[in-house]
Amino acid sequence: MAEKGTAGYADIAAHFRKLIEDGDLQPGATMPPMSQVKDQFGVSITTVNRAFRLLKSEGLTTPRPGAETVVADRQGVAATAAARLERIARTGNAYAPGETSINHTSELRSCQDPMIAELLGVELGDEVIVRSRLFLRDGKPAVAALSVIHMRALAHVPELLQPQPFDRFWQEFYKERTGHQTTKSPERRTARHASSNELDLLDVHVPEGAAVPVLVLVNTFHDDEGPLEVWEDVYAPGLWQVEGVKP
């Protein structure tokens, strides 16, 4: 949080945005009165009003009869993979409020996707570790998530072949056991038509053969030896995709 008396409206909005994204302010919770926020940050009521208007414009809050502002129920929102990592680093929580995951799988598979093969630095047909899960938001399918991991990781983290989730990000175990640091390339975003399997996972029902465009986010992780892991997240149609906020 900015030092008292130095915060701008964007700083105040970022403060409450983080509280909302991390679940400290749940949907339906009443936002503090503007006069209280004014005193908390040592700013003018005009600055606080601008911050609250920004949060409203982002769909994070909504007015309620009685001149109160409450945290909005954002059922149509799913966070990015980058936002998940930021949240885990800040709070240790693997899930956002209202989020969970199901259908966890892990297997050795031949890499047949040219894009993933290139990003992971392997040849088509090379064996890779593939972990998948389906993220739910308020009980509804939101993101079909795929992690494709280089085989060299298996020597250090054999638990990768167990389908159940780790109690923390698996790369933390990898770094502890190898001494290697990992870095993430900038998140890539594109759109394509969903496969029939992805439509089944996301519970999207359309006539057979219908083309359904979906948003796809791709993240690549590297260590000292080269590419280590590629994430591919496929978002259900109609969802807003949002980034996290910096600590």
Side-chain angles (χ1 to χ4, degrees), residues 99-116:
E99 185 182 58
T100 187
S101 62
I102 60 172
N103 297 350
H104 292 258
T105 68
S106 181
E107 61 181 331
L108 296 179
R109 192 186 300 175
S110 170
C111 184
Q112 298 297 328
D113 186 315
M115 181 196 72
I116 289 180

Side-chain angles (χ1 to χ4, degrees), residues 23-24 34 36 52 55 94 103 105 109 125 130 157 162 171 192 213 236 239:
D24 296 315
M34 288 192 190
Q36 178 181 323
F52 274 44
L55 293 171
N103 297 350
T105 68
R109 192 186 300 175
V130 178
V157 191
Q162 300 173 5
Q171 288 185 19
R192 60 167 169 77
L239 284 181

Side-chain angles (χ1 to χ4, degrees), residues 18 20-23 78-97 99-100 135 137 242-247:
K18 182 171 76 69
I20 293 169
E21 294 292 346
D22 290 347
T80 67
R84 283 203 297 273
L85 288 177
E86 291 177 355
R87 183 181 62 248
I88 291 170
R90 286 196 312 271
T91 69
N93 295 328
Y95 300 109
E99 185 182 58
T100 187
F135 285 97
R137 185 75 183 222
V242 298
E243 297 182 7
V245 292
K246 302 290 185 184

Side-chain angles (χ1 to χ4, degrees), residues 104-107 131 154 157-166:
H104 292 258
T105 68
S106 181
E107 61 181 331
R131 294 174 62 86
L154 195 58
V157 191
E159 302 97 314
L160 283 168
L161 289 182
Q162 300 173 5
Q164 60 265 31
F166 287 85

